[in-house]
Amino acid sequence: MSGVLTEFFGEFSNWDSRLWRTLLPLWFWPGYLSKRYLNGHRVPYVPPLRLYLFTSVLTFLLFSSLFSNNVVVNQPQDAQSVAQQQQVMTDVKQQLVEQGVWQEDHDLELFRLPFLTLAQQQAYNEKMQQLANQPKLAINKFFSLAPQMMLLFLPLFALMLKLLYWRSGRFYMEHLIVALHSHSFILHMLAAIVLLQLAADYSSWALLTTICNKLIWLLLCWIPLYLFLFQKIYYQQGWAKTLLKYVLTITIYNSMALLGFISLLVLSVLWA
């Protein structure tokens, strides 16, 4: 990671004009960069892989820093607050027991993860107890693994596009370019949303808070619309067919992302 950052800041002065020529269409013109790149217009823009790698590293460093700094451990509480929290935990645990997720074994409460073996489950619970007073370790591990997980998703996402558009005659690499640009866009928007939310939370100026909240709402609406327009503009198919394939893409990808997120949580605990 340090090597990538060194390369990024070392070359920034050499391609800062290319950076802005890349960012503006990346944010506002769905599919433009991918079409230009595949048509041979590559010099004026940051290459898709480099753009994604730099975006991923900086975005997850931002997330890791913000989430780690907002973790509060062992905050003093009065007796009434402790009693209320214990009651809430008891109610939640009772619901989990009824659903078969939470089990009590030899007076040891275990949060069961069905995809773990018994030995892995025991190691997971032991690690959870160790990290109870040091949650930053797990958070830092999560955000160090997240870029690697997303990098693995890129070829899978490109393969999914290849299967959905197999009659288009496009090569796998063309779909991979789409994956790189679309994921770069998503990370940029998520970083902007996090920063705007941070500004809204800490601002004492009501107007600024309102503006930030409205911008967050606009970005949350722009992300799915942008991705839909990306597929429509890039693959040049009808609106109905594009909408159907977009829904399939989002459904499959969200399922993959959920499995990846759960896996990251478990690995972050086990490897912290």
Side-chain angles (χ1 to χ4, degrees):
M1 182 179 293
S2 60
V4 175
L5 286 176
T6 301
E7 181 184 0
F8 172 72
F9 289 110
E11 294 191 6
F12 183 82
S13 59
N14 297 327
W15 51 269
D16 55 348
S17 60
R18 286 198 298 164
L19 178 64
W20 289 112
R21 280 199 296 266
T22 301
L23 291 182
L24 292 179
L26 177 70
W27 295 338
F28 303 112
W29 302 337
Y32 177 84
L33 286 177
S34 298
K35 294 180 68 174
R36 293 281 291 176
Y37 184 84
L38 294 173
N39 288 334
H41 303 281
R42 303 178 180 181
V43 175
Y45 309 105
V46 179
L49 180 58
R50 178 172 293 187
L51 174 66
Y52 172 78
L53 290 176
F54 295 155
T55 298
S56 177
V57 170
L58 295 179
T59 300
F60 283 106
L61 281 177
L62 170 66
F63 292 166
S64 177
S65 175
L66 292 178
F67 279 91
S68 295
N69 291 336
N70 282 295
V71 172
V72 180
V73 181
N74 292 333
Q75 185 176 14
Q77 297 175 313
D78 55 41
Q80 183 178 1
S81 298
V82 172
Q84 291 176 348
Q85 292 182 9
Q86 289 177 346
Q87 183 60 44
V88 171
M89 290 299 296
T90 300
D91 295 341
V92 171
K93 185 178 69 174
Q94 182 61 35
Q95 295 178 6
L96 294 176
V97 170
E98 293 175 357
Q99 296 172 7
V101 178
W102 191 289
Q103 299 179 4
E104 295 184 8
D105 184 16
H106 302 294
D107 298 327
L108 178 62
E109 296 174 345
L110 300 176
F111 188 76
R112 297 295 299 168
L113 297 171
F115 50 85
L116 294 182
T117 65
L118 183 60
Q120 291 172 335
Q121 180 68 55
Q122 184 177 359
Y124 179 82
N125 283 274
E126 291 176 354
K127 198 68 176 181
M128 283 288 290
Q129 293 176 359
Q130 296 175 8
L131 294 173
N133 295 323
Q134 293 180 307
K136 286 187 178 182
L137 295 178
I139 292 174
N140 291 335
K141 178 59 68 174
F142 177 89
F143 285 108
S144 68
L145 293 175
Q148 303 172 44
M149 179 69 73
M150 285 201 67
L151 193 59
L152 291 177
F153 278 1
L154 288 172
L156 295 177
F157 183 73
L159 178 61
M160 180 172 59
L161 292 176
K162 175 67 175 177
L163 295 175
L164 287 173
Y165 294 94
W166 68 277
R167 297 181 62 182
S168 66
R170 295 182 180 272
F171 296 106
Y172 175 80
M173 186 57 65
E174 298 180 60
H175 301 291
L176 186 59
I177 298 302
V178 173
L180 289 168
H181 280 143
S182 59
H183 281 69
S184 297
F185 165 78
I186 292 172
L187 289 177
H188 278 237
M189 295 300 102
L190 291 179
I193 290 171
V194 169
L195 291 175
L196 286 170
Q197 186 62 59
L198 190 67
D201 291 340
Y202 287 93
S203 174
S204 57
W205 188 24
L207 179 59
L208 178 59
T209 300
T210 302
I211 292 174
C212 289
N213 288 331
K214 290 185 179 296
L215 288 175
I216 291 173
W217 182 84
L218 287 174
L219 291 180
L220 289 174
C221 294
W222 177 232
I223 292 175
L225 178 60
Y226 177 101
L227 296 175
F228 171 73
L229 293 175
F230 198 127
Q231 286 189 228
K232 176 67 179 72
I233 294 171
Y234 184 81
Y235 292 105
Q236 294 292 305
Q237 292 189 338
W239 290 100
K241 186 176 291 187
T242 300
L243 179 60
L244 175 61
K245 293 186 177 182
Y246 174 74
V247 172
L248 288 174
T249 302
I250 294 300
T251 302
I252 297 173
Y253 187 80
N254 284 344
S255 299
M256 292 169 47
L258 178 60
L259 291 175
F261 179 76
I262 295 173
S263 301
L264 276 181
L265 288 177
V266 175
L267 292 176
S268 299
V269 173
L270 293 176
W271 294 354

